[in-house]
Amino acid sequence: TPDSPTQRVGGKVLESLPSKRHSLRMYSLDNVFTMQEWHDFVLKMQRFLPGLKQSDLSFWMEPKMDGLAMELVYRKGLLDYALTRGDGETGEVVTENMRTVRNMPVRLRGLKREDGSTIMPELLEVRGEVLMAKKDFEALNARQIKRGGKVFANPRNAAAGSVRQLDSSVAAERPLRFISYGIGRVEWPGGHPAWKTQGEVMQGVREMGFSIAPGAGLCTSIEEVEDWYHQLAGQRESFPFELDGAVAKVNDLGLQEELGFTARAPRFAVAFKFAAMQAATRLNDISIQVGRTGVLTPVAELEPVNVGGVMVSRATLHNEDEIRAKGVLIGDIVLVQRAGDVIPEVVGPITDRRDGTEREFTFPLECPECHNHVHREPGEAAWRCVNRACPAMRRESIKHFVSKAGLDIQGIGGKLIEQLIDAELIKNPADLFHLKKEDILGLERMAEKSAVNT
Ligand code: IVH
């Protein structure tokens, strides 16, 4: 039967993905980036519906999930077909791939009525986002690297690539999820539930078997919406999947209908965006950093770029295999991403922007600091400097010793350690404990007070 678990393993291979029209257009959302723009958005609603008071407005709030939009069409409770958003009018039919998404019901649960009976819609179009959780995405990429397969730039690209597979057994191996955020058409066989708000719709969708976004809920004033947005922004890093903002929707369905749509987007909903955590910039060069254990780490030397409010000019490339798997060349325009306190990393090249001047990077055969041999153990990703007295290793191990991960010594950091080594005042961590105030005062830019502190 079409709703059997055996239908979830995939296997059908298509020649191409057929297109199909949406019965109701799938709109996009307008964006706001600041509180001012959010207030302007509310004012615009009030201009469109004179008489609409701010105190009458409640908003259903959800995270804006960074995946791809999907419509699932159910007839008499069974999945009929799945359609990507496409251009909003016409999408691609990806039913077989969506069947493999484990948290998407292939058969709906009926809704309980007050008299205890259940009711099943004749037709239901459920809309939502197909995405990959961050940890599933990382595990997938690790698997792809091991297999020599394609490495995905981000969870969104991985989800989009997986959903548009022609071979559904490939999609079945990809850890996709479907999170609902709304409905399209719905037809009930009489005595239908009287949904009056977005919140009630989402509750109904959940009862029928869909996942809805964690943290979704109601805000009863425009100030509450602001607090909700800030709270979500604070959880962005720890959220199980990538978010690019919050979505605020007028909760009252009657008001939604009155407000209607512009050519592009609803007037009753808006995306309140976060600063992008990815940016494109030029990879000027790749340098090599020697760590405290002698591992040589390739570092991207970038044209400085603002990533989510922080200037980034260097980013890790991890190791030789990753450079190859990502396919980055020196001179490429690359995508750079930052996540919280984590070191920025290069996601991959934007190959469309190549002009033929880019060149491949070759890993050095000697340590850039002590010029000794470097060695790579079979089965290991890292090249290491073989010189146990390598000055870089020594310097980095003293830095590690004073850092948070070590003794967490206050008032001494990387710069000071470099000065102390250059002045031949320390050679190893133990030497730190024999330092005198005069030793430190003799260093450049060291004042009495900070010398005492140190
Ligand atoms: S509502 C008529 N809610 O954002 C309103 N969209 O930029 C339709 N998205 O195409 C969209 N999370 O793919 C809505 N909680 C959410 C969403 C969400 C992500 C996506 C959706 C849409 C795009 C618009």
Side-chain angles (χ1 to χ4, degrees):
T1 60
D3 60 326
S4 157
T6 61
Q7 301 301 304
R8 287 204 188 261
V9 297
K12 262 195 200 161
V13 182
L14 306 172
E15 301 228 320
S16 65
L17 298 173
S19 321
K20 194 174 173 72
R21 281 182 81 84
H22 293 280
S23 55
L24 293 179
R25 182 167 162 194
M26 281 183 88
Y27 284 88
S28 186
L29 287 171
D30 282 335
N31 297 322
V32 298
F33 293 91
T34 62
M35 289 301 152
Q36 184 59 53
E37 287 176 0
W38 158 241
H39 285 238
D40 291 347
F41 174 79
V42 176
L43 284 176
K44 234 187 324 187
M45 285 199 286
Q46 292 182 291
R47 261 201 305 274
F48 191 78
L49 284 186
L52 178 63
K53 292 202 287 283
Q54 280 196 11
S55 55
D56 292 341
L57 285 171
S58 289
F59 295 90
W60 181 255
M61 300 299 298
E62 278 168 3
K64 186 171 192 300
M65 300 159 284
D66 201 7
L68 73 154
M70 182 70 58
E71 178 166 76
L72 306 170
V73 179
Y74 293 82
R75 283 184 197 279
K76 297 192 189 305
L78 280 184
L79 178 70
D80 185 7
Y81 61 90
L83 205 50
T84 63
R85 176 176 179 275
D87 63 3
E89 304 264 1
T90 305
E92 287 174 308
V93 181
V94 290
T95 318
E96 295 314 312
N97 293 336
M98 285 305 292
R99 264 189 217 291
T100 70
V101 177
R102 305 300 157 104
N103 79 329
M104 180 211 74
V106 284
R107 176 194 286 276
L108 303 181
R109 285 200 295 264
L111 276 189
K112 275 250 171 341
R113 278 194 288 208
E114 272 176 15
D115 64 5
S117 63
T118 56
I119 178 173
M120 184 66 85
E122 279 294 314
L123 169 80
L124 177 69
E125 296 178 350
V126 175
R127 292 168 171 192
E129 203 78 352
V130 179
L131 45 81
M132 219 176 260
K134 291 183 207 167
K135 68 169 183 356
D136 291 340
F137 161 76
E138 270 148 31
L140 170 65
N141 258 359
R143 262 196 330 264
Q144 295 288 98
I145 289 175
K146 229 179 218 159
R147 287 184 185 169
K150 180 179 159 61
V151 176
F152 297 100
N154 51 48
R156 209 196 85 80
N157 286 5
S162 305
V163 149
R164 300 187 61 257
Q165 283 291 326
L166 294 173
D167 179 352
S168 60
S169 59
V170 176
E173 287 180 8
R174 304 281 171 80
L176 294 170
R177 290 173 205 230
F178 177 79
I179 313 274
S180 172
Y181 54 66
I183 59 171
R185 276 195 309 163
V186 54
E187 286 168 16
W188 297 98
H192 56 82
W195 287 333
K196 290 198 180 62
T197 65
Q198 187 73 26
E200 285 169 14
V201 169
M202 296 319 293
Q203 175 61 26
V205 160
R206 201 158 66 164
E207 276 177 42
M208 285 190 270
F210 294 93
S211 303
I212 70 167
L218 193 66
C219 287
T220 55
S221 71
I222 66 169
E223 292 76 26
E224 248 182 70
V225 169
E226 292 167 23
D227 292 344
W228 196 94
Y229 168 84
H230 288 303
Q231 209 178 332
L232 184 71
Q235 297 168 358
R236 185 178 184 187
E237 305 295 339
S238 59
F239 224 77
F241 31 81
E242 289 202 336
L243 307 180
D244 54 357
V247 180
K249 295 172 197 154
V250 168
N251 194 41
D252 187 298
L253 296 184
L255 263 182
Q256 284 194 6
E257 205 173 313
E258 281 185 69
L259 285 161
F261 298 83
T262 67
R264 197 189 97 91
R267 288 194 193 85
F268 56 83
V270 75
F272 202 149
K273 299 275 282 229
F274 296 142
M277 291 298 232
Q278 290 192 335
T281 191
R282 187 175 302 279
L283 174 64
N284 288 330
D285 204 357
I286 296 177
S287 63
I288 296 288
Q289 213 168 42
V290 186
R292 76 188 156 89
T293 59
V295 170
L296 275 59
T297 303
V299 176
E301 303 290 344
L302 303 162
E303 201 54 40
V305 64
N306 186 321
V307 187
V310 173
M311 287 308 284
V312 173
S313 55
R314 307 185 85 202
T316 180
L317 282 160
H318 301 287
N319 57 52
E320 188 183 24
D321 291 350
E322 287 247 348
I323 296 180
R324 193 156 304 136
K326 287 176 174 167
V328 283
L329 304 177
I330 295 171
D332 264 338
I333 301 295
V334 293
L335 206 58
V336 181
Q337 91 182 353
R338 200 170 66 73
D341 294 336
V342 184
I343 312 166
E345 68 167 349
V346 171
V347 176
I350 302 174
T351 48
D352 297 355
R353 293 184 60 182
R354 283 190 178 149
D355 62 8
T357 60
E358 300 78 14
R359 61 192 167 86
E360 209 165 306
F361 170 74
T362 40
F363 221 85
L365 295 172
E366 60 175 43
C367 170
E369 299 243 7
C370 71
H371 305 290
N372 255 289
H373 290 309
V374 293
H375 175 72
R376 181 176 167 175
E377 279 294 314
E380 256 197 47
W383 284 93
R384 286 169 200 274
C385 172
V386 295
N387 174 14
R388 294 184 59 189
C390 173
M393 275 166 78
R394 193 168 276 190
R395 180 184 69 232
E396 295 307 314
S397 61
I398 304 176
K399 283 187 193 171
H400 180 72
F401 183 81
V402 302
S403 75
K404 258 214 175 83
L407 292 194
D408 195 10
I409 302 178
Q410 305 293 307
I412 182 163
K415 271 268 150 351
L416 183 56
I417 285 174
E418 280 169 26
Q419 283 179 298
L420 290 165
I421 293 174
D422 289 347
E424 294 182 7
L425 289 165
I426 57 169
K427 284 200 178 65
N428 58 49
D431 295 339
L432 289 166
F433 297 93
H434 301 294
L435 286 173
K436 296 189 195 64
K437 189 173 93 183
E438 298 74 48
D439 295 338
I440 298 174
L441 263 177
L443 298 173
E444 219 181 309
R445 279 195 303 230
M446 232 333 147
E448 168 85 19
K449 183 153 182 295
S450 40
V452 174
N453 287 345
T454 305

